[in-house]
Amino acid sequence: MRKPRNEHDVVQSIERAFRSTRSSRLTVSLGDDTALWRGSGHKQTLLTCDWFLEGTHFLGQKHPPDAIGWKCLARAVSDIAAMGGKPACFLLSLALPDRLAGRWLTGFLGGLRRVSRATACELAGGDTTRGEHILIGITVLGEVARRQAVLRSGARPGDLVYASGTLGEAELGLEQLRRLPTLPRPPNAALRKHLYPEPRLALGQWLAEKRLATAMMDLSDGLSSDIPRLCAASGVGATIDSSLLPLASLKDRRRALALALHGGDDYELLFTVRPGKAALLPGEFRGVQLTRIGKITHGRKILLQDAKGGATLLGPGGWDPFRTS
């Protein structure tokens, strides 16, 4: 692919990369002032947007361009999964230096196209400009059946708290990425989780359709930072049992526990279930482990219980872009 000479060439590159993914529901797409999406009956529209910034969310010299393309959309689609919805289409806003408008752009679009196909979320349009650093903005439109969306606000005292997958693995992958001079091929589980997270769409939809989850969100900033948000929305507290957490495979259990509590970028689902429906949950769903990790309580405290039954306050120690210390 030749290096684009101007913004029109960049837009043409994006159009060519996604031309074969266009569906009949996208009646007007790239090239007009807005996209037109034909919705279906008895559905509610879901909208979410997400920044993905060089130096904040990824390292330009470390993260492969295809992984950047994959992850920028996957993390936004994860928000749709957390509502029990299905993604439909997305808008891409992209700023990048002129020097990256050739091979880097091709790799980026390859990863973006792969996750677009994997999640049935097609490109509907967006905007491009030249910038000193890579700035990526993603807006995703999705759908969910009416009165079926799972909110953060439905948890009640006595509900059981569950998490999908393994916690802390993506943070472990980031640590490895920072240390390694080159990426192993293929990447190990931790690196794969960090570079190519998989939104739990099928699980979220199943939990919503079966009306099993009373509250749900995705784990993007770390369990210790995200569980307080779910509890605040529901007006409850929670006790998390450290002995139940699904940890990354490390010899140092204390380190694995810290990663599970405070590591970000897992994009697993955190959800609550009424005790009477817990028996309906399988131990795993389509190869993804489902683990009971705690219980919703009265009051507003978030407690961490150890193996001996003692409990301490669990403060938010996950990702916070505004944290100064």
Side-chain angles (χ1 to χ4, degrees), residues 10-37:
V10 171
V11 173
Q12 288 292 304
S13 297
I14 296 171
E15 285 188 346
R16 283 194 299 270
F18 286 88
R19 189 170 291 154
S20 63
T21 67
R22 214 161 290 166
S23 77
S24 59
R25 294 181 64 192
L26 198 57
T27 56
V28 175
S29 182
L30 280 71
D32 220 304
D33 288 303
T34 72
L36 286 178
W37 180 265

Side-chain angles (χ1 to χ4, degrees), residues 18 41 76-77 111 129 139 157 195 214 231 261 270 280-281 319:
F18 286 88
V77 167
T129 190
T139 300
L195 295 171
T214 54
C231 288
L261 291 173
L270 176 72
L280 301 176
L281 279 181
W319 166 252

Side-chain angles (χ1 to χ4, degrees), residues 133-320:
H133 302 287
I134 305 167
L135 308 176
I136 305 164
I138 297 285
T139 300
V140 176
L141 179 148
E143 294 181 327
V144 66
R146 293 190 184 279
R147 294 182 293 278
Q148 196 167 287
V150 186
L151 310 181
R152 297 182 183 185
S153 55
R156 298 292 179 265
D159 285 1
L160 304 177
V161 182
Y162 284 81
S164 67
T166 302
L167 303 185
E169 208 166 34
E171 187 74 16
L172 179 62
L174 175 59
E175 291 181 358
Q176 293 176 2
L177 182 70
R178 290 180 184 274
R179 289 196 310 266
L180 293 171
T182 58
L183 280 175
R185 295 291 180 186
N188 61 36
L191 280 167
R192 192 164 55 249
K193 182 76 171 283
H194 172 70
L195 295 171
Y196 306 100
E198 297 184 12
R200 302 306 188 190
L201 285 166
L203 174 59
Q205 292 161 20
W206 182 77
L207 290 169
E209 290 166 2
K210 299 298 183 181
R211 303 191 182 279
L212 291 175
T214 54
M216 186 158 60
M217 67 181 296
D218 71 331
L219 286 166
S220 57
D221 295 336
L223 178 62
S224 68
S225 291
D226 286 330
I227 185 69
R229 293 167 181 156
L230 185 147
C231 288
S234 294
V236 295
T239 296
I240 301 299
D241 189 334
S242 64
S243 67
L244 298 178
L245 292 175
L247 306 180
S249 298
L250 288 174
K251 292 180 180 179
D252 185 348
R253 191 183 185 283
R254 291 182 62 182
R255 179 62 184 146
L257 178 59
L259 288 170
L261 291 173
H262 310 303
D265 265 7
D266 278 322
Y267 301 105
E268 297 292 351
L269 292 182
L270 176 72
F271 59 97
T272 57
V273 176
R274 300 276 190 260
K277 291 190 173 183
L280 301 176
L281 279 181
E284 64 175 45
F285 180 85
R286 297 188 183 179
V288 178
Q289 183 180 352
L290 305 182
T291 306
R292 178 177 58 84
I293 63 171
K295 190 173 184 178
I296 296 297
T297 60
H298 291 280
R300 299 298 183 96
K301 292 181 179 179
I302 311 297
L303 299 177
L304 180 66
Q305 182 176 304
D306 59 32
K308 296 180 180 180
T312 56
L313 285 174
L314 178 61
W319 166 252
D320 183 345

